[in-house]
């Protein structure tokens, strides 16, 4: 039995909201690109309503236009680059996050840990329509 919904990929995921909530930087995705395991049908799809929480965030640099589609994202845990992140996932080690948006905006933060989780019941869609 598989224990993840799949592996999250920053590229092409859609950020609906980003901001500080207490000491945490919370990034809310309206659609997170996830590569599902073969046991769940495989392939890429979009998981709706996902949060990436940078716990105990510091050194946050966020441009005003940090919304919409991501062109790239880099997460380093203890200095090691993490490509695709399992959903759900949590780690309590030093992290550095760099997000680049399709509109050219960028966000950079450091934190003492990170969590990635769906909000509510997980829902997948195959395509995004605007």
């Amino acid at each position: 039995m598989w224990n993840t919904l799949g592996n999250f990929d920053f590229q092409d995921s859609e950020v609906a909201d980003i901001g500080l909530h207490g000491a945490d930087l919370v990034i809310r995705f309206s659609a997170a690109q996830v590569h599902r395991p073969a046991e769940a049908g495989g392939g890429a799809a979009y998981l709706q309503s996902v949060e990436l929480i940078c716990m105990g965030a510091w050194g946050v640099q966020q441009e005003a236009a940090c919304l919409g589609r991501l062109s790239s994202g880099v997460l380093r845990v203890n200095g090691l680059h993490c490509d695709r992140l399992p959903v759900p996932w949590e780690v309590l080690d030093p992290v550095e996050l760099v997000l680049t948006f399709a509109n050219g905006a960028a966000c950079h933060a450091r934190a003492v840990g990170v969590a990635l989780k769906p909000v509510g019941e997980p829902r997948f869609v195959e395509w995004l329509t605007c």
Side-chain angles (χ1 to χ4, degrees):
M1 182 73 182
W2 53 281
N3 59 3
T4 70
L5 297 171
N7 293 313
F8 168 79
D9 192 351
F10 286 104
Q11 186 174 0
D12 292 330
S13 292
E14 293 277 336
V15 173
D17 184 50
I18 184 170
L20 287 170
H21 295 271
D24 301 337
L25 178 67
V26 178
I27 300 136
R28 290 190 177 99
F29 293 92
S30 55
Q33 183 168 224
V34 173
H35 301 270
R36 294 182 290 184
E39 297 88 351
Y46 291 95
L47 180 59
Q48 297 180 316
S49 300
V50 174
E51 285 186 345
L52 180 70
I53 303 165
C54 295
M55 299 173 277
W58 56 279
V60 177
Q61 299 172 1
Q62 174 189 342
E63 297 176 17
C66 288
L67 289 174
R69 187 174 66 84
L70 289 175
S71 59
S72 68
V74 174
L75 181 71
R76 290 184 187 88
V77 178
N78 276 330
L80 299 175
H81 181 84
C82 298
D83 280 333
R84 293 185 176 168
L85 311 175
V87 181
W89 184 64
E90 183 174 326
V91 65
L92 297 174
D93 286 315
V95 298
E96 179 181 10
L97 176 69
V98 178
L99 300 177
T100 305
F101 291 79
N103 63 12
C107 178
H108 179 266
R110 295 176 188 264
V112 298
V114 66
L116 180 66
K117 61 181 184 169
V119 177
E121 187 67 28
R123 292 175 303 154
F124 281 98
V125 293
E126 301 298 322
W127 306 101
L128 291 180
T129 55
C130 298

